[in-house]
């Protein structure tokens, strides 16, 4: 066994010391591609996702909740980097105290105009998570294939009542209490040997030639046969040639700059930032050629070349490397397998995937990675190594069922869900056009790229996610629905 010490330059300019371990016969650390082989004992920080448990957020509390969520992310960010500093200092207890204060503020703001969500107060405690532990631990099976329902049906339990959420949180808190001391002991023992500071790991990559087909060919195509609505509607919005970047998240943390803590790539609505309300979006120009003012965004993909560039309007938050411009961006709406679709309301907001899936588990994960020429092979928790001449492909297939009432929800998920594998929406939901965002990239050969992420998520591919705000004028949405239901392919 070979053990060596090294250091990684973080985005903020600090050095995080860590150790690397290579078993005899394994590859040596890949310093040229910007990452190192981490040890089995390397850890990150895992905290309960307060945003996921939000149910009702009154308008009067929205800004307080946005600031609270952003503060919770910043607290984890700072604790993670302190832990990576190698001092072995107590990190989890101070973090818990910070989170208690912030969550209490959020609960008080919400309670002024609706039922007090006291269950959130049980979510302050965090634990450590082994870096080598898969994303499925704590949230779902990390070995699912496309055919197992990775893309459809994974959110059928979203409508469970709040009592179930509270029961689950009670159990989570018990688990956390048991693990808190263990985590503190682990920190003290490991000191600076927490392993890969920032990620990704060589284990996060796989040669696409070694992946067995697990999806339809072509994947994400419009439904066919039977009662399906077989048409499509495609909107052309460019590749972000204008350089629209920021580290905001207008859906999750409106009104807060740098609410995402990673950089987003935008196409469509030109006004999208943390402070863009519906009126501002409706008055904005767009990069889409058909007058579609919708907002589409996703985390940037970076080349792991050590470049510490910072895009205008975006903070860095330890995300380092040259930002890659997509080679192509395709935005297509498709129909339902079991019947016609209904128009989605203007200003509906949808998030697909989970930026914290590595620590949250895969319940809401919806990443999909592949290579051109190999798209019958879809990867959810690995980056593809594509052969020469083949491009990396990211695909986001959004939720296709709507509750018929709300354009958003407290956790930004409960108002929409996926149909089952037969194409049927759950009771109380109706079929809407399904957005499929497909983005391709020319990347250098080898383990040379990674998606932007929260620092404790280690740039894991399973954390990839897409965001959408429907700002189509009603007439254009009607055209899209008519084309889809009529079996036509329109733009």
């Amino acid at each position: 066994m070979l053990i060596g010490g090294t250091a990684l330059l973080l985005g903020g300019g600090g050095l995080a010391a860590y150790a690397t371990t290579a078993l005899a016969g394994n590859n040596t650390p890949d310093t040229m591609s910007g990452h190192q082989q981490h040890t089995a004992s390397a850890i990150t920080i895992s905290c309960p996702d307060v945003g996921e448990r939000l149910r009702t957020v009154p308008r009067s509390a929205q800004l307080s909740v946005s600031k609270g969520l952003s503060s919770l992310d910043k607290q984890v960010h700072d604790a993670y980097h302190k832990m990576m500093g190698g001092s072995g200092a107590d990190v989890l207890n101070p973090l818990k105290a910070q989170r208690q204060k912030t969550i209490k503020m959020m609960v008080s703001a919400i309670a002024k105009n609706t039922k007090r969500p006291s269950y959130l107060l049980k979510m302050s405690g965090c634990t450590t998570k082994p870096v080598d532990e898969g994303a499925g631990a704590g949230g779902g099976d990390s070995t699912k294939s496309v055919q197992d329902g990775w893309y459809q049906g994974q959110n059928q339990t979203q409508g469970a009542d709040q009592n179930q959420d509270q029961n689950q949180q009670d159990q989570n808190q018990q688990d956390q209490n048991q693990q808190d001391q263990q985590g503190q002991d682990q920190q003290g023992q490991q000191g600076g040997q927490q392993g890969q500071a920032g990620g990704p790991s060589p284990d996060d990559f796989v040669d696409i030639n070694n992946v067995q087909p697990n999806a339809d060919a072509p994947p994400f195509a419009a439904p066919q046969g039977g009662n399906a609505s077989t048409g499509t509607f495609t909107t052309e919005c460019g590749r972000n040639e204008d350089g629209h970047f920021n580290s905001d998240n207008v859906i999750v943390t409106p009104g807060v700059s740098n609410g995402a803590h990673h950089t987003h790539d935008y196409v469509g609505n030109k006004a999208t930032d943390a402070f863009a309300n519906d009126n501002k979006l409706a008055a904005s120009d767009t990069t889409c050629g058909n007058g579609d003012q919708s907002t589409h965004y996703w985390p940037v993909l970076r080349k792991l070349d050590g470049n510490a560039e910072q895009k205008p309007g975006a903070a860095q938050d330890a995300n380092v490397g040259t930002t890659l411009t997509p080679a192509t961006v395709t935005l297509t709406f498709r129909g339902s397998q079991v019947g016609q679709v209904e128009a989605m309301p203007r200003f509906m907001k949808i998030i697909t995937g989970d930026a914290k899936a590595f620590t949250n588990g895969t319940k809401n994960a919806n990443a999909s990675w592949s290579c051109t020429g190999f798209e019958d092979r879809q990867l959810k928790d690995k980056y593809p190594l594509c052969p020469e001449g083949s491009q990396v492909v990211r695909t986001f297939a959004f939720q296709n069922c709507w509750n018929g009432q709300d354009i958003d929800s407290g956790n930004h998920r409960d108002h929409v869900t996926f149909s089952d594998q037969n194409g049927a929406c759950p009771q109380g939901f109706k079929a809407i056009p399904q957005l499929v965002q497909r983005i391709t990239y020319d990347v250098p050969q080898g383990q040379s790229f990674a998606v932007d992420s929260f620092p404790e998520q280690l740039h894991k591919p399973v954390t990839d996610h897409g965001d959408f705000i429907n700002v189509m004028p009603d007439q254009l949405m009607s055209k899209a629905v008519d084309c889809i239901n009529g079996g036509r392919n329109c733009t």
Side-chain angles (χ1 to χ4, degrees):
M1 178 178 288
L2 175 66
I3 301 178
T6 184
L8 179 70
L9 181 64
L10 299 178
L15 288 173
Y18 64 104
T20 61
T21 301
L23 298 176
N26 286 3
N27 292 332
T28 56
D30 183 3
T31 55
M32 295 301 293
S33 63
H35 49 230
Q36 298 279 339
Q37 179 74 38
H38 56 66
T39 72
S41 62
I43 58 174
T44 188
I45 295 176
S46 177
C47 299
D49 189 345
V50 174
E52 168 63 22
R53 293 295 179 178
L54 291 172
R55 291 297 175 261
T56 301
V57 180
R59 183 177 297 273
S60 61
Q62 284 181 351
L63 184 57
S64 294
V65 170
S66 290
K67 290 180 177 179
L69 291 173
S70 184
S71 293
L72 292 173
D73 288 334
K74 180 65 162 57
Q75 291 159 11
V76 176
H77 171 283
D78 292 345
Y80 172 78
H81 285 301
K82 183 178 180 181
M83 186 176 73
M84 287 294 98
S87 65
D90 180 355
V91 170
L92 295 186
N93 282 330
L95 176 60
K96 181 176 181 178
Q98 288 180 314
R99 285 171 58 86
Q100 281 178 331
K101 182 178 179 180
T102 301
I103 295 171
K104 184 176 180 180
M105 177 275 294
M106 296 169 62
V107 168
S108 297
I110 293 171
K112 289 179 180 179
N113 287 285
T114 190
K115 183 179 179 180
R116 182 179 178 86
S118 298
Y119 61 94
L120 296 178
L121 298 172
K122 302 175 183 179
M123 302 181 70
S124 58
C126 301
T127 63
T128 54
K129 172 185 172 73
V131 169
D132 288 338
E133 184 178 286
D141 182 2
S142 64
T143 62
K144 293 178 185 175
S145 71
V146 176
Q147 292 144 329
D148 291 329
W150 178 257
Y151 299 102
Q152 297 197 76
Q154 68 266 52
N155 291 333
Q156 297 301 316
T157 60
Q158 283 184 339
D161 62 32
Q162 188 165 296
N163 288 333
Q164 291 176 324
D165 290 333
Q166 290 175 297
N167 291 340
Q168 181 62 50
Q169 283 305 315
D170 290 341
Q171 182 61 49
N172 288 347
Q173 185 63 33
Q174 293 175 17
D175 294 341
Q176 288 160 14
N177 290 339
Q178 293 171 1
Q179 294 176 24
D180 276 348
Q181 185 59 47
Q182 178 183 356
Q184 300 294 352
D185 293 343
Q186 191 174 16
Q187 285 172 243
Q189 293 167 1
Q190 291 180 338
Q193 298 185 19
Q194 278 84 5
Q196 174 71 20
S201 160
D203 292 338
D204 292 326
F205 293 82
V206 65
D207 187 336
I208 197 69
N209 288 294
N210 296 331
V211 178
Q212 293 299 312
N214 60 359
D216 294 332
F220 311 109
Q224 298 295 323
N227 296 319
S229 44
T230 60
T232 62
F233 183 83
T234 301
T235 182
E236 299 287 345
C237 299
R239 303 178 292 116
N240 194 17
E241 294 93 337
D242 295 340
H244 183 177
F245 300 98
N246 60 53
S247 52
D248 301 340
N249 192 333
V250 68
I251 295 179
V252 177
T253 52
V256 178
S257 295
N258 193 35
H261 299 278
H262 51 265
T263 301
H264 282 133
D265 220 342
Y266 291 84
V267 300
N269 199 291
K270 291 186 175 183
T272 310
D273 61 17
F275 307 97
N277 59 24
D278 292 349
N279 291 333
K280 185 176 179 180
L281 295 175
S284 174
D285 196 2
T286 179
T287 67
C288 303
N290 57 3
D292 183 358
Q293 297 168 283
S294 296
T295 291
H296 300 262
Y297 60 104
W298 45 80
V300 298
L301 202 67
R302 292 185 191 265
K303 183 164 58 174
L304 298 178
D305 58 3
N307 184 359
E309 69 170 349
Q310 182 171 327
K311 291 295 185 182
Q316 201 164 56
D317 292 297
N319 288 291
V320 177
T322 301
T323 299
L324 293 168
T325 300
T328 65
V329 174
T330 306
L331 309 170
T332 301
F333 293 88
R334 63 182 188 176
S336 166
Q337 188 64 46
V338 297
Q340 296 193 337
V341 297
E342 298 187 17
M344 62 175 66
R346 202 174 195 205
F347 306 117
M348 173 182 276
K349 300 169 178 65
I350 310 179
I351 298 171
T352 200
D354 184 357
K356 300 175 183 177
F358 182 61
T359 55
N360 281 351
T362 59
K363 174 186 175 184
N364 292 312
N366 196 18
S368 184
W369 297 88
S370 190
C371 303
T372 55
F374 298 84
E375 289 181 74
D376 61 344
R377 310 171 193 193
Q378 296 291 326
L379 302 167
K380 65 182 181 58
D381 56 5
K382 300 288 184 184
Y383 292 118
L385 295 174
C386 304
E388 187 173 357
S390 175
Q391 296 172 325
V392 168
V393 184
R394 301 163 75 184
T395 307
F396 304 110
F398 281 68
Q399 293 87 321
N400 57 345
C401 300
W402 171 49
N403 69 6
Q405 300 178 11
D406 305 306
I407 61 172
D408 200 2
S409 49
N411 63 0
H412 313 293
R413 297 187 187 276
D414 287 346
H415 62 300
V416 289
T417 190
F418 288 91
S419 61
D420 64 23
Q421 293 186 356
N422 296 318
C425 290
Q427 185 175 0
F429 286 76
K430 54 182 67 177
I432 55 174
Q434 183 175 35
L435 170 63
V436 179
Q437 298 171 340
R438 179 180 179 273
I439 310 127
T440 69
Y441 297 86
D442 293 307
V443 303
Q445 288 290 296
Q447 300 166 0
S448 61
F449 63 94
V451 68
D452 261 26
S453 77
F454 292 101
E456 77 282 358
Q457 300 300 315
L458 306 177
H459 302 280
K460 295 293 184 180
V462 73
T463 66
D464 205 11
H465 56 283
D467 301 78
F468 169 65
I469 304 175
N470 172 44
V471 199
M472 275 193 193
D474 291 341
Q475 185 174 1
L476 187 62
M477 175 57 70
S478 295
K479 176 184 176 182
V481 169
D482 288 344
C483 287
I484 292 169
N485 290 337
R488 304 190 306 277
N489 298 321
C490 307
T491 57

